Structures are given as structure tokens and as C-alpha cells.
Amino acid sequence: TYDPEFFLRFAMAFRNYEAGEWLVARDMLFTCHYSPDSCQDDSATDYPARVSDGDWPVDGPTCTLLRFMRHTYFHPPSDWTGHRELTDK
């Protein structure tokens, strides 16, 4: 089961996703399941930090958003309108 903190963090992350703040959304989605320290690589000089697939949260909606944003390195397309067309079920 998920605690209320999870739902608060996910809602905040989703709002950032909609607003086009994908790096913030990414960081918030990682905190839905992990502590921020376990998701950041202080030795990385490139941003966004690299996180292996094995370290990703196990929640389906969280993983779906992370995978989608990862395709553009966590930067929304220039024509981002706050949503995307779902092509898979």
C-alpha cells in the first residue's frame, strides 16, 4: 500500500510534469519511492543525473512518466501543451 506522503509527492511531481518542469518532476518522482540521496550521483558532471533502470521506482504510473520524459532527456518538447496523446493501453 502507498502512504499519504506518496500521493502528495506524486501529485506535486505530476503538476510539474504538466507545467513542463520535467527535471523537477523527475526528481519528485524519484522521491516517491526513494530518498533524494539515493537518486543523485554527486560525481556526475552532466545533468540530468544518471539513474539505472534498476533504481527506478516500481509504481507503474511513476515509471511510465519517467520513461516518457527520459526520451528527451527530461526536457519537454518546444510545443508541450501539458499533456500527450496516449498511444498504448
Side-chain angles (χ1 to χ4, degrees):
T1 64
Y2 295 97
D3 64 7
E5 180 74 16
F6 168 85
F7 291 107
L8 289 172
R9 288 176 181 267
F10 184 86
M12 191 179 313
F14 191 79
R15 287 187 190 109
N16 279 285
Y17 163 77
E18 289 178 310
E21 298 293 333
W22 286 10
L23 290 172
V24 175
R26 178 205 62 179
D27 292 345
M28 285 301 305
L29 289 169
F30 279 127
T31 67
C32 285
H33 190 71
Y34 299 102
S35 69
D37 292 340
S38 69
C39 296
Q40 301 299 324
D41 179 2
D42 293 333
S43 65
T45 57
D46 57 333
Y47 197 77
R50 294 180 186 177
V51 178
S52 70
D53 286 347
D55 291 332
W56 282 30
V58 295
D59 174 66
T62 299
C63 288
T64 298
L65 288 173
L66 287 168
R67 281 190 199 105
F68 176 72
M69 292 186 294
R70 183 173 64 175
H71 288 291
T72 58
Y73 301 99
F74 301 96
H75 295 284
S78 59
D79 60 348
W80 179 248
T81 60
H83 65 277
R84 66 183 178 106
E85 182 178 338
L86 296 178
T87 56
D88 296 339
K89 196 170 190 184

